[in-house]
């Protein structure tokens, strides 16, 4: 690391700081998802070449497991240590002053615990939220337990919210105990320090190992398991119910949709299947910053019996509604306590514990859902360890509210504009082809979580990789009902459900209709009509369980309105598909499910191949360019233009039963 970063002009201190930060960051039992922070005091030249004493401390937006030197912004040390003489300092002024003293103004914001690192005299400082440390600290008699384990090697500080006050309190405590090797912040985490990176890191590992050894001598956590009356439903059946219940009804037929992720393991099942999970599982978060991602408590549901899913849905819907009511009351009483100027966050749960199954992480995106699930797993681990040596006890709700509604977090609200399809899940069939790929990418750019379905697995995977993030690629023959059911089940397990179906897969067979082989026509109907019907049936079943509406978008064709010679095998089922879209609009509008179609023509794709373009242009006595631009606009229509039409329908909450033509203008194909 020294050699690698030295070649980039990074000094040895900072290279070693990156190295040991990563050693801490790669271990989830120490830190997870931006948790913890590290620092080093060193000398770095400024823009004019003058050597300056600085504190390099973890910056906002960086995780310790992947941190680079750029993720440890350098702050001028002398000015920020001077803040210790202040009696008080607002969080906003603290952040502003730290930014004003960055060596590089383009650096990320330094950690909110920067002053704590600065006020301690040591060269290297490490801070973790180690699971074992929290397990022995998050107890009614936590300090007594910690003193038994660590003796006088650590100083002990009762909980103080992060920021200026915590920095001052920690520094004062160290001044009273200058021989300690670290500071344990009760119900928050552990700081260790040293004159070398290795010394500070070794101390961190030693103290965490001591806590683990202490817990290891106790009996395993083994709660009494509740009896299960019958087999539980599958994850794919339960996820849309959870997702719908946790989505917020905004009125006027609109919903704040969410995405879920599912986790299960022996440890998770032991925890959630416990008879008293509603007690030990809902006492609060294990460290205060988790509340921002998971809220104060999870939602605990009954076991979902496969034989009675309607009862489970009714129970979960009622429990989620009660959760929101309780959250509103929690917000109101604490907002009144702090002056009434806070803006309430979404009141829906972010973690759902389901006996007999596992846990669901909930978020406005797959990424957010995964973070909530990861933190829920760490919480289960911590609470399970804590219950081995005592009784898990979280911070009181007042402290957790103050963290959840911290002014620095509140200031972020409204600054980031949510993308229009955020929280929505879209399935795109034929997703490996030109129109499908363009549509999947456009929907992803607008915030949707994407499942790319294609009979060609390689093509689906290519598009999913190009989208990036959490896009799901699935090989699926849409003429096979079992393959459709399996694909939709996997989408539900991955994202929680379906909001938008872009039923796009198709293929064209040619031949004079009077001489057409019956098998060819039937094959075309299987793909160009019945596949659309089977996909729509599978989608509306899930949408009805979610109870948040949805959109069925069908790729029909200009052929459905204006048939072309020798294309009857294609146009006939497409005409049926166009009317299928209107039948769904007619029958499912009462459920908030919209159905619309797009009629496209002459799009370069796997359907309209280069060979077909050449032949059809030649038959008309035209060049290929003239053939493709043979419309009122005189312009070639591309796959991206069709994708825009699908996006229009996905974002039009009051449009159903519509057909949008994307052909550059063809009066003969215009609807009457």
């Amino acid at each position: 690391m020294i050699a690698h970063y030295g070649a980039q002009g990074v000094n040895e201190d900072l290279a070693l700081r990156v190295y040991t930060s990563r050693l801490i960051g790669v271990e989830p039992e120490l830190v997870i998802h931006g948790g913890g922070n590290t620092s080093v005091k060193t000398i770095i030249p400024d823009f004019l070449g003058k050597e300056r004493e600085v504190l390099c401390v973890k910056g906002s937006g960086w995780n310790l497991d992947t941190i680079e030197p750029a993720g440890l912004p350098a702050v001028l040390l002398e000015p920020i240590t001077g803040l210790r003489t202040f009696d008080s300092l607002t969080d906003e002024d603290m952040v502003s002053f730290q930014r004003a003293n960055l060596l590089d103004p383009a650096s990320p914001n330094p950690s909110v615990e920067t002053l704590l690192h600065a006020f301690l005299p040591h060269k290297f400082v490490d801070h973790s939220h180690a699971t074992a440390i929290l397990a022995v600290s998050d107890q009614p008699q936590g300090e007594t337990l910690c003193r038994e384990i660590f003796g006088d090697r650590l100083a002990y500080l009762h909980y103080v919210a992060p920021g200026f006050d915590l920095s001052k309190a920690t520094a004062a405590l160290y001044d009273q105990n200058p021989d300690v090797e670290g500071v344990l912040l009760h119900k928050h985490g552990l700081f260790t320090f040293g004159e070398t990176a290795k010394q500070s890191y070794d101390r961190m590992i030693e103290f965490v190992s001591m806590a683990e050894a202490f817990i290891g001598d106790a009996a395993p956590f083994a709660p009494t398991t509740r009896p299960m009356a019958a087999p539980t439903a599958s994850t794919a059946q339960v996820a849309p119910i959870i997702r719908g219940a946790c989505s917020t009804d905004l009125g006027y037929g609109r919903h704040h949709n969410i995405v879920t992720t599912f986790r299960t393991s022996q440890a998770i099942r032991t925890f959630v299947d416990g008879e008293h999970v509603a007690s030990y599982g809902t006492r609060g978060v294990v460290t205060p910053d988790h509340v921002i991602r998971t809220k104060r408590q999870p939602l605990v549901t009954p076991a979902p019996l496969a034989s009675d899913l309607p009862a489970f849905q009714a129970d979960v819907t009622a429990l989620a509604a009660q959760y929101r009511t309780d959250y509103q009351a929690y917000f109101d009483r604490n907002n009144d306590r702090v002056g009434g100027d806070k803006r309430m966050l979404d009141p829906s749960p972010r973690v759902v514990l389901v006996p007999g199954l596992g846990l669901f992480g909930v978020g406005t995106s797959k990424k957010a859902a995964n973070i909530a699930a990861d933190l829920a797993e760490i919480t289960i681990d911590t609470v399970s360890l804590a219950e081995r040596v005592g009784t898990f006890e979280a911070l009181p709700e007042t402290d957790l509210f103050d963290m959840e509604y911290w002014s620095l977090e509140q200031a972020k609200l409204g600054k980031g504009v949510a993308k229009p399809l955020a929280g929505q899940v879209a399935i795109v069939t034929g997703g490996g082809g030109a129109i499908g790929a363009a549509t999947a990418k456009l929907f992803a750019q607008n915030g949707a979580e994407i499942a790319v379905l294609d009979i060609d697995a390689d093509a689906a995977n290519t598009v999913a990789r190009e989208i990036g993030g959490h896009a799901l690629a699935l090989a699926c023959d849409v003429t096979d009902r079992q393959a459709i059911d399996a694909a939709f089940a996997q989408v539900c397990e991955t994202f929680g459900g379906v909001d938008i179906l872009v039923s796009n897969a198709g293929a064209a067979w040619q031949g004079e209709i009077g001489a057409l082989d019956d098998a060819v026509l039937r094959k075309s109907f299987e793909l160009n009509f019945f596949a659309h019907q089977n996909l729509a049936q599978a989608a509306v079943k899930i949408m009805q369980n979610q109870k948040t509406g949805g959109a069925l978008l069908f790729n029909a064709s200009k052929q459905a309105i204006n048939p072309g010679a020798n294309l009857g095998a294609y146009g006939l089922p497409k005409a049926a598909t166009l009317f299928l879209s209107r039948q769904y609009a007619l029958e499912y509008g009462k459920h908030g499910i919209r159905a619309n179609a797009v009629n496209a023509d002459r799009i370069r794709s796997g359907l309209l191949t280069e060979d077909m373009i050449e032949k059809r242009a030649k038959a008309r006595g035209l060049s290929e360019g003239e053939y493709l631009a043979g419309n009122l606009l005189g312009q070639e229509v591309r796959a991206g233009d069709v994708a825009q039409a699908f996006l229009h329908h996905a974002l039009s909450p009051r449009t159903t039963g519509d057909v949008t033509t994307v052909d550059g203008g063809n009066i003969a194909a215009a609807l009457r």
Side-chain angles (χ1 to χ4, degrees), residues 639-654:
D641 300 316
V642 185
Q644 286 286 350
F646 281 129
L647 180 64
H648 158 73
H649 281 303
L651 295 174
S652 300
R654 293 295 177 271

Side-chain angles (χ1 to χ4, degrees), residues 253 255 257 498-499 542-544 546-551 591-594:
H255 291 83
N257 288 43
V498 180
D499 302 294
I542 294 168
M543 291 173 182
Q544 286 179 290
Q546 292 171 163
K547 300 185 183 298
T548 55
H591 299 289
I593 298 171
R594 298 176 293 110

